[in-house]
Each structure stands twice: as structure tokens, then as C-alpha cells.
Amino acid sequence: GINAEYGQVTAHTMGEPEIVTSTRGSECFIWDVETGLQKAQLKFSGPVPNAKYRYRNIRYGSTGDTFYAVIVPVAWSNKTSSSHIVKYDTTASPWSITREHAVRGEPLAELVISSDESFVATSSSNGHVYIFDAHSLGLRRRVFEAHGLFVTGLCFTSSHADDQFKLLSVSADRECKVHNPHVADPIRFLKAALLLLLFIGALYVIFCILSSSGLLPHIDDFDKDPAVEDHHGHSHHNEL
């Protein structure tokens, strides 16, 4: 048997059989199922020097060529700590990190992947739900305070009617909610619109300041006759 401390465990059956286990400490191991021998150890170097990180949740992708993990600091600080969603390429030797997304100030826990590996979802102890694009790990949607208490489970499901994935979340608040990962976060669009309005407003203020300082031509100057005027106001045209 495989001698592994209690923690998280995940496996895949594509190609060479292997499992990955994570401990309650900061270790994560890859095991050969047939021999029971340890093949490799995964390590994560975060932004904080000499800090220890724990693989809080681990999952293989649908084909086994990718591997995802939620990694958090062992010593958590709400002001400076960040949780990390990490994507590995399992075809490389050793496994290499290809994508990473940090969520500051929130300890993430759950981790699920849609069956077609188009979405990755996680949740925080604050009741927030995060949905990422699995390819880029770009944040697609953040459901702020999806639940009043910490989320205890996530699950992707598909509808036979529209063949689109939905995300189910359950919580200690005894509620189950449905989230649509195909709908982008409306808050992101509001932020983009606000930034655009601020940019246009700043340009208008700068234009007014320059215009009142005489650094820009007044709009009436463009309506003047191109003829040259002398100091008496008479216009003179050059004639051949």
C-alpha cells in the first residue's frame, strides 16, 4: 500500500496510473499506483520569501494532462496573505506550472473542474464563489457573498436543454444556489465603464485648462476668414 498522511487525494486513469496526495502540512506527492513508490514531490514558491504553503485542494483535469491545485499559506494573515489557483502541465518532467491566479485576502478551499475542462471554480471561507477560465485561469466571474457562511461544496452540472454548464454551491447556511459561468461578472463591466467615464472626464478637464490658458486655439479662431488683416482690421489679399 501507499504510505501517505491524511489530506487530499486525487487520481486519474489515463495513461500511466498514478495518484497525488497532499498532507495537512506543506507537502504534495505523486505516487506510482502499481509499485506504491513515490515518483515526485510538488513544491510551490509563493511571493512571500521562506513562507510555507499548503496544497489545500487538488484535482486532475479531464484528460490527465493537466493538474490543478488550491494553495494557501500555512500561516495565514488576512492583510498580506494570498490564495493561489495553480495549473500544472503533467506531460512535462518534472511537472511545470503553466498558469497561476492569486486571490488576495481570502483563504480558498473548494476546487471543481467542469467535465470538458472549460471552467474551474473555487470558493472562499467568506462565502464568495470564483469561476475561472480553465485554459488561462483568468477570472470569469466572482459571485460576491454567494452564501452567508463558508461554502462546503461545489459541483458542475450540465443542462440537457441548452448543453451549458451550471455551477451548484452549497453552504453551512443551508442553501443551495445555481451560478451560470457563461455570464461574465457584471461588476467588471461596471468598473470598465466607470474607468472610461473618468478618462473622458479627465480629458475634458485638461482641454478646458489648456484652452483657458491660451495654450490651445479658441474655437472661434477656426471660423475667421483666412485673409490677412492689418492693424486697422482691413483685410488684404495677395494678387498676382
Side-chain angles (χ1 to χ4, degrees):
I2 294 175
N3 183 15
E5 182 184 341
Y6 173 79
Q8 291 284 326
V9 60
T10 184
H12 80 93
T13 57
M14 308 292 289
E16 185 178 357
E18 60 188 13
I19 66 172
V20 181
T21 63
S22 64
T23 69
R24 290 181 175 178
S26 57
E27 298 173 322
C28 190
F29 299 104
I30 307 171
W31 302 85
D32 187 298
V33 174
E34 295 181 348
T35 65
L37 298 177
Q38 183 186 129
K39 297 175 62 177
Q41 179 179 354
L42 297 179
K43 295 182 179 180
F44 177 77
S45 298
V48 180
N50 302 321
K52 290 186 177 182
Y53 290 84
R54 177 164 66 98
Y55 285 73
R56 190 166 187 179
N57 215 317
I58 51 177
R59 293 285 185 274
Y60 272 102
S62 58
T63 64
D65 292 338
T66 52
F67 181 83
Y68 300 84
V70 169
I71 303 175
V72 298
V74 174
W76 182 267
S77 171
N78 288 330
K79 294 183 178 180
T80 59
S81 296
S82 298
S83 298
H84 300 266
I85 306 291
V86 178
K87 180 180 180 181
Y88 287 88
D89 177 8
T90 64
T91 62
S93 183
W95 291 7
S96 60
I97 295 177
T98 58
R99 294 287 188 273
E100 179 186 343
H101 189 107
V103 178
R104 186 174 181 179
E106 293 190 41
L108 302 180
E110 300 298 318
L111 177 64
V112 292
I113 307 167
S114 61
S115 60
D116 67 346
E117 203 173 335
S118 57
F119 300 109
V120 176
T122 185
S123 60
S124 75
S125 59
N126 299 326
H128 309 326
V129 171
Y130 295 85
I131 304 175
F132 300 89
D133 176 86
H135 176 70
S136 64
L137 282 191
L139 180 61
R140 182 168 183 84
R141 188 177 184 188
R142 178 197 183 200
V143 185
F144 183 75
E145 293 185 352
H147 293 276
L149 297 173
F150 58 90
V151 177
T152 56
L154 295 172
C155 177
F156 275 109
T157 182
S158 60
S159 169
H160 295 290
D162 54 15
D163 197 30
Q164 287 191 343
F165 287 98
K166 302 295 189 298
L167 178 67
L168 304 179
S169 64
V170 293
S171 167
D173 62 6
R174 299 183 179 182
E175 290 186 344
C176 178
K177 294 187 177 181
V178 182
H179 315 282
N180 187 354
H182 300 275
V183 178
D185 189 355
I187 296 180
R188 297 175 62 190
F189 290 103
L190 291 176
K191 288 182 178 178
L194 179 60
L195 289 175
L196 180 60
L197 290 175
L198 290 175
F199 177 73
I200 295 175
L203 287 179
Y204 177 75
V205 170
I206 293 174
F207 177 82
C208 292
I209 294 174
L210 294 177
S211 180
S212 61
S213 302
L215 299 178
L216 290 178
H218 194 272
I219 191 170
D220 293 336
D221 295 340
F222 295 100
D223 297 330
K224 290 183 178 180
D225 192 289
V228 180
E229 296 184 355
D230 59 16
H231 62 280
H232 296 293
H234 301 291
S235 298
H236 298 277
H237 297 269
N238 293 326
E239 296 182 357
L240 294 177

